[in-house]
Amino acid sequence: MDSLEPARRALVPGQLVRAKIVSHQPWGLFVDIVGREGVGASVDLIAQFSAAFPGRQIYQLFLPIGTEIYAVVQQVRDWYPSERGIRQGGIRLSIRPEDLDSFSWPCDFCEQPTTLSPGGDGLSLAVLTTDGPEGYTVTSHRKCLADRIRPEDAGQRARALWIGKPLPSNSPPE
């Protein structure tokens, strides 16, 4: 595990962050997430805006290096190609205005959009292994996850439906 892993794993799709532009790439921007410097993050401007800004118009969005922007975490990815032994991955961010207001992403179970912004119906599941540092996130509707937990495990099914939400008023205190 490297020293950046806890900072990377603390980021969740749908989370609003501040990012500082550190370099321009042909497809978009490399950024540092403010407060988590050194965690690899990028904004793929071509993927997000090429339809709205055709041709060279897209380069209007390449703000100066050092500029701080708001962004929302779109994906958290880590992978380690064994053939080179080089760590790859990082955080993909979105700066699309509609994503900053309310971020949705397809559920990895049913393929329908789920809202990952605060108050939404989505969950981000960290997929980790004991065999190495690889990991990635799975996006799910609360109900899609609950429906895949064994029926006899009612407590875990209930947690999938209620994690991060206020408990119903008729729930006993813990």
Side-chain angles (χ1 to χ4, degrees):
M1 175 169 30
D2 70 42
S3 62
L4 296 176
E5 191 168 333
R8 184 179 295 108
R9 296 211 191 278
L11 293 165
V12 179
Q15 181 179 352
L16 188 65
V17 297
R18 296 269 310 151
K20 185 175 182 178
I21 299 169
V22 296
S23 73
H24 296 155
Q25 302 301 314
W27 43 264
L29 310 168
F30 275 132
V31 300
D32 269 339
I33 297 173
V34 175
R36 300 182 198 307
E37 287 75 8
V39 172
S42 63
V43 179
D44 188 335
L45 295 174
I46 302 296
Q48 292 177 38
F49 296 105
S50 62
F53 293 87
R56 300 192 60 77
Q57 291 179 15
I58 192 80
Y59 293 108
Q60 299 174 64
L61 300 176
F62 283 67
L63 298 170
I65 292 172
T67 303
E68 284 193 14
I69 57 175
Y70 280 103
V72 66
V73 177
Q74 185 177 45
Q75 292 177 302
V76 180
R77 303 174 297 181
D78 282 313
W79 62 94
Y80 300 71
S82 57
E83 66 274 5
R84 291 190 276 157
I86 298 172
R87 180 184 189 108
Q88 306 229 340
I91 309 301
R92 179 172 277 189
L93 303 175
S94 173
I95 62 169
R96 292 171 4 124
E98 58 270 27
D99 288 345
L100 294 173
D101 288 338
S102 181
F103 180 71
S104 293
W105 196 255
C107 172
D108 287 313
F109 295 115
C110 73
E111 300 180 11
Q112 296 302 307
T114 183
T115 302
L116 295 168
S117 297
D121 61 343
L123 296 171
S124 293
L125 314 170
V127 178
L128 308 173
T129 176
T130 58
D131 294 328
E134 297 92 356
Y136 67 100
T137 51
V138 171
T139 300
S140 174
H141 289 100
R142 292 171 182 279
K143 183 163 179 4
C144 287
L145 176 61
D147 288 349
R148 282 158 179 82
I149 297 173
R150 294 182 323 242
E152 64 272 15
D153 199 347
Q156 292 295 359
R157 291 170 68 99
R159 282 182 191 88
L161 294 170
W162 290 104
I163 189 168
K165 294 196 171 272
L167 291 173
S169 60
N170 62 351
S171 295
E174 291 188 12

